[in-house]
Amino acid sequence: KAGVTQTPRYLIKTRGQQVTLSCSPISGHRSVSWYQQTPGQGLQFLFEYFSETQRNKGNFPGRFSGRQFSNSRSEMNVSTLELGDSALYLCASSRGPNTGELFFGEGSRLTVL
Amino acid sequence: AQTVTQSQPEMSVQEAETVTLSCTYDTSENNYYLFWYKQPPSRQMILVIRQEAYKQQNATENRFSVNFQKAAKSFSLKISDSQLGDTAMYFCAFMSSLNQAGTALIFGKGTTLSVSS
């Protein structure tokens, strides 16, 4: 069965712009979470959605937001981009909360100039 | 707050050898999950092995096994008969079993493993 699909894979933006990233989870998975990966900070949890509701949120500013649709697909948005937002953004899906295993997508590589 | 520490930024090993990656963590919880994830150069994160804290038996998956020492809060990964395809960054991760924590993973900084022929 198809894995977690993230689009776009690569994108370049300039400071002050906003960006929307998309994630389609594995069929049947209802929980989607997002992570930011940078060389300096490593992998950091952004937020998690389950049944269209945000269940948990990491320590990121309000410029980072997300949502989940009724088909479990999720989007995350970053507004007023800063240079430090350049990162690999990973999406992961699971059957539900506390199931103990996440399946990751290949990520969206964001470069902010 | 929980933390995960991987003290070996880089390791190298030859094919067919055995290598052990270290991970320590800190938590006040009694029940939780621990994971090792592998991220090859293509960047997709793949689950290598998972351990539930309430299980005393160490998890094994083919050539991969863990040494889970709950009291010491240690969770090392042993790779036996290393293969070139094992070259990747390996992340140790913690997941709380508390309902409000959802599926949030806390990752270590990672260990880059290079396997050479």
Side-chain angles (χ1 to χ4, degrees), chain B residues 10-24:
Chain B
E10 296 181 356
M11 295 191 72
S12 59
V13 67
Q14 297 222 312
E15 273 186 299
E17 290 184 344
T18 295
V19 63
T20 299
L21 309 183
S22 301
C23 173
T24 58

Side-chain angles (χ1 to χ4, degrees), chain A residues 45-48 54-62 64-65:
Chain A
F45 171 74
L46 279 158
F47 29 63
E48 178 193 2
Q54 186 179 87
R55 281 182 50 89
N56 199 359
K57 181 173 167 62
N59 188 26
F60 279 82
F64 292 81
S65 63

Side-chain angles (χ1 to χ4, degrees), chain A residues 39-51:
Chain A
Q41 298 299 317
L43 282 151
Q44 294 184 286
F45 171 74
L46 279 158
F47 29 63
E48 178 193 2
Y49 289 87
F50 176 73
S51 293

Side-chain angles (χ1 to χ4, degrees), chain A residues 22-92:
Chain A
S22 179
C23 173
S24 293
I26 291 172
S27 177
H29 285 194
R30 297 170 61 195
S31 176
V32 174
S33 51
W34 290 87
Y35 292 81
Q36 182 196 64
Q37 185 175 19
T38 60
Q41 298 299 317
L43 282 151
Q44 294 184 286
F45 171 74
L46 279 158
F47 29 63
E48 178 193 2
Y49 289 87
F50 176 73
S51 293
E52 301 178 65
T53 301
Q54 186 179 87
R55 281 182 50 89
N56 199 359
K57 181 173 167 62
N59 188 26
F60 279 82
R63 300 185 297 107
F64 292 81
S65 63
R67 59 178 176 168
Q68 186 180 34
F69 303 94
S70 58
N71 62 358
S72 294
R73 190 177 70 85
S74 176
E75 289 181 347
M76 67 162 282
N77 184 78
V78 187
S79 62
T80 319
L81 284 166
E82 300 177 359
L83 296 179
D85 297 333
S86 294
L88 180 67
Y89 290 88
L90 294 171
C91 170

Side-chain angles (χ1 to χ4, degrees), chain B residues 35-107:
Chain B
F35 305 86
W36 279 98
Y37 277 91
K38 167 186 176 181
Q39 190 178 40
S42 64
R43 292 193 294 247
Q44 183 167 24
M45 199 92 71
I46 302 166
L47 177 67
V48 175
I49 200 163
R50 152 191 166 158
Q51 176 80 42
E52 293 157 352
Y54 69 86
K55 291 185 178 179
Q56 292 186 342
Q57 186 172 6
N58 289 325
T60 62
E61 286 288 341
N62 301 314
R63 298 182 295 107
F64 300 89
S65 62
V66 298
N67 183 5
F68 173 48
Q69 301 290 328
K70 190 173 183 179
K73 295 179 182 175
S74 171
F75 184 61
S76 62
L77 174 70
K78 185 171 84 171
I79 306 175
S80 304
D81 186 25
S82 296
Q83 301 175 358
L84 295 177
D86 295 334
T87 294
M89 180 165 280
Y90 288 80
F91 292 97
C92 178
F94 172 98
M95 180 187 289
S96 169
S97 65
L98 297 176
N99 188 55
Q100 61 265 31
T103 57
L105 282 170
I106 299 168
F107 285 93

Side-chain angles (χ1 to χ4, degrees), chain A residues 91-102:
Chain A
C91 170
S93 75
S94 64
R95 290 181 183 82
N98 307 111
T99 56
E101 183 172 351
L102 301 186

